Amino acid sequence: MEACTALIVDDEDDIRTLIELTLAPMGVRCDAAATLAEARARLARQTYQFCIVDMRLPDGNGLELVAHLQRHHADVPVAVITAHGNVESAVEALKLGAFDFVSKPFDIATLRSLVATARKLGRPGETRAGSPATRPGLIGRSAAIERVRTLAARLARSQAPVLITGESGTGKEVAARLIHAAGPRADQPFVPVNCGAIPPDLMESEFFGYRKGAFTGASQDKPGLFQAADGGTLFLDEIAELPPHMQVKLLRAIQERAVRPIGAAHELPVDVRILSASHRELERLVAEGRFRQDLYYRLNVIELHVPPLRSRSEDLPELCEHLLDRLAADSSLPRPHLTPEALAALARYPFPGNVRELENILERAFTLCDDSAISPADLSLPAPAPAATVAVERPAAPVSDLEAWLEELERQAILRALEACGNNKTAAAESLGITFRALRYRLKKLGLE
């Protein structure tokens, strides 16, 4: 590993020596400073690859040095050393620009992991968010989406927890993947989990894993989501759906950077960056007593808001082109184009379901259009209904996975039509009231070819 020089700012000789001995095998040479004044003087004379600073110093607070580095040496990653359990100071440091923190007494493995991350952040010329290579799906050039990209690029250099907000279907997971792909953990796992899709009684075992024999049916050890994301990023989508007992356990896992599998005697250290998302207002849920305030402040160190599609309608043409290209590639069918009238109709539509709804509309139009053009009729855009006449029909029985249920209905209808028509696809398409192209697409999509 390439040698580098770090600045260690701490007034305790023992701590400075321990850090120096811990980092020496990693090829890191440490310069020491015991005060803020000495640290500023060293920074003025020499360039460092990263800096570690204690929060409590004889002539001030370590946060002052974090702010100084952000103003004058923004390319130098800085981490802070905090007293055990002093989460408030750690969060404040992250908000000021520190990329991470370590608590006293610190674990050597944790310190080395932090330094490995710092060295990746400090490498000049490393690919960052905003370049085509690290832009996994944020399509558009509007000012609103450019703001998301700019903030994502800054967040990629930090290890601070990020709360991604926005309406359903805006692309919150895409933004999370962008932050991960542009940061030092890009070559490590990105593990997404929908908190609303896990039954409450299975959450603890899913998040933290279990040991063989921990309960009936536990025939072998099973790692949890935290262990699966170790070294990488854990993306907690729909975080507002976590039940109270899991909010407590998640808070401890984040603060202690350790998890205890069910049936285990000891906690296991984990190195995971937490990104979370919600379309609900967590601050309102905190005020209503439905979400823990301490967990909210721990997750919402920095907030990234993804705008709704209706506020960036100028991105529609590029989004449509991208989605139609993908549909054509997935189906191996000719790619149709949107007529100017169809694009104008989309521009007038408010998209309550945002980009996800646009994708569904275009997929439907892709299968229904008869030739190489998608017309307004092919879009089948919902007509706005008067509020007084809107009625919600309750399902006859609970459906745990709506998409899978609808796909199964579609699969059975197609199979019956093919059987009735002696496997003549043209006749089956006619009997179903769809085009032959639409039937071909559905056969491929449902794996019935």
Side-chain angles (χ1 to χ4, degrees), residues 18 27 32 42 79 97 99 134 143 145 177 232 238 272 297 300 303 308 315 321 333 371 396 409 425 439 448:
L18 174 60
R42 284 190 172 275
F99 78 91
T134 58
I145 210 66
R177 288 183 181 275
E238 299 303 342
V272 170
Y297 287 127
N300 191 23
E303 182 175 330
D315 291 335
E321 292 293 311
L333 293 173
D371 48 32
L409 288 179
K425 293 179 183 178
L439 178 60
L448 296 176

Side-chain angles (χ1 to χ4, degrees), residues 25-27 45 53 67 86 105 109-110 127 130 133 139 141 147 172 193 201 212 219 236 238 263 272 279 300 312 436:
M26 301 178 68
R45 294 194 304 266
V53 57
N86 193 353
T110 301
T127 302
I139 306 299
R141 294 182 175 84
R147 280 193 294 271
K172 295 187 289 294
V193 53
D201 55 340
K212 179 181 179 180
S219 58
L236 303 176
E238 299 303 342
V272 170
H279 72 279
N300 191 23
R312 56 184 191 102
F436 178 71

Side-chain angles (χ1 to χ4, degrees), residues 95-423:
K95 287 183 176 179
L96 281 174
F99 78 91
D100 210 344
F101 69 94
V102 62
S103 299
K104 293 180 182 178
F106 42 76
D107 176 75
I108 289 178
T110 301
L111 179 61
R112 285 180 173 163
S113 174
L114 179 147
V115 169
T117 300
R119 296 185 69 173
K120 291 180 182 178
L121 287 171
R123 273 185 206 140
E126 188 168 310
T127 302
R128 296 291 177 208
S131 72
T134 58
R135 193 186 299 169
L138 270 182
I139 306 299
R141 294 182 175 84
S142 64
I145 210 66
E146 287 294 351
R147 280 193 294 271
V148 174
R149 284 201 197 96
T150 300
L151 183 52
R154 290 172 53 198
L155 297 179
R157 287 184 55 84
S158 169
Q159 298 304 293
V162 177
L163 176 63
I164 305 173
T165 61
E167 298 175 8
S168 291
T170 50
K172 295 187 289 294
E173 182 174 337
V174 174
R177 288 183 181 275
L178 175 60
I179 294 170
H180 171 78
R185 298 174 181 264
D187 56 349
Q188 298 298 318
F190 177 90
V191 179
V193 53
N194 187 327
C195 298
I198 304 175
D201 55 340
L202 296 180
M203 277 192 169
E204 186 172 357
S205 63
E206 286 295 312
F207 273 81
F208 309 130
Y210 54 78
R211 290 286 181 259
K212 179 181 179 180
F215 50 82
T216 303
S219 58
Q220 59 185 9
D221 289 355
K222 177 184 180 296
L225 294 165
F226 269 85
Q227 293 101 312
D230 195 21
T233 301
L234 181 61
F235 175 57
L236 303 176
D237 199 7
E238 299 303 342
I239 191 73
E241 304 306 318
L242 278 183
H245 78 281
M246 275 305 298
Q247 293 180 27
V248 175
K249 293 180 182 295
L250 177 61
L251 177 63
R252 177 172 177 80
I254 294 173
Q255 291 185 166
E256 301 301 322
R257 302 188 182 197
V259 297
R260 178 178 292 180
I262 298 174
H266 305 287
E267 289 185 328
L268 303 175
V270 288
D271 172 25
V272 170
R273 185 181 188 185
I274 299 292
L275 304 178
S276 56
S278 178
H279 72 279
R280 302 170 68 184
E281 293 182 25
L282 287 188
E283 197 166 5
R284 179 171 57 82
L285 296 181
V286 169
E288 295 172 355
R290 296 159 63 190
F291 198 86
R292 290 183 65 94
Q293 186 178 52
D294 46 6
L295 178 59
Y296 170 70
Y297 287 127
R298 196 66 186 84
L299 295 171
N300 191 23
V301 173
I302 305 172
E303 182 175 330
L304 173 64
H305 181 71
V306 183
L309 182 54
R310 62 183 172 275
S311 71
R312 56 184 191 102
S313 57
E314 61 267 46
D315 291 335
L316 267 174
E318 188 174 350
L319 274 167
C320 291
E321 292 293 311
H322 170 77
L323 293 171
L324 288 173
D325 283 342
R326 193 174 71 191
L327 287 167
D330 290 345
S331 65
S332 301
L333 293 173
R335 179 198 179 285
H337 69 274
L338 280 167
T339 65
E341 295 78 13
L343 190 57
L346 289 172
R348 292 191 297 269
Y349 184 65
F351 287 103
N354 294 291
V355 178
R356 186 181 299 132
E357 184 181 10
L358 172 64
E359 187 171 2
N360 291 337
I361 288 170
L362 290 178
E363 182 175 7
R364 182 171 62 241
F366 184 89
T367 64
L368 293 177
C369 65
D370 287 322
D371 48 32
S372 60
I374 294 176
S375 68
D378 296 322
L379 296 172
S380 302
L381 294 176
T389 64
V390 173
V392 178
E393 183 180 346
R394 295 181 179 273
V399 176
S400 60
D401 189 336
L402 180 60
E403 292 293 335
W405 182 70
L406 291 172
E407 279 195 2
E408 183 58 28
L409 288 179
E410 188 175 17
R411 179 180 287 106
Q412 294 302 322
I414 290 174
L415 289 173
R416 283 195 297 269
L418 286 169
E419 184 179 358
C421 298
N423 282 328

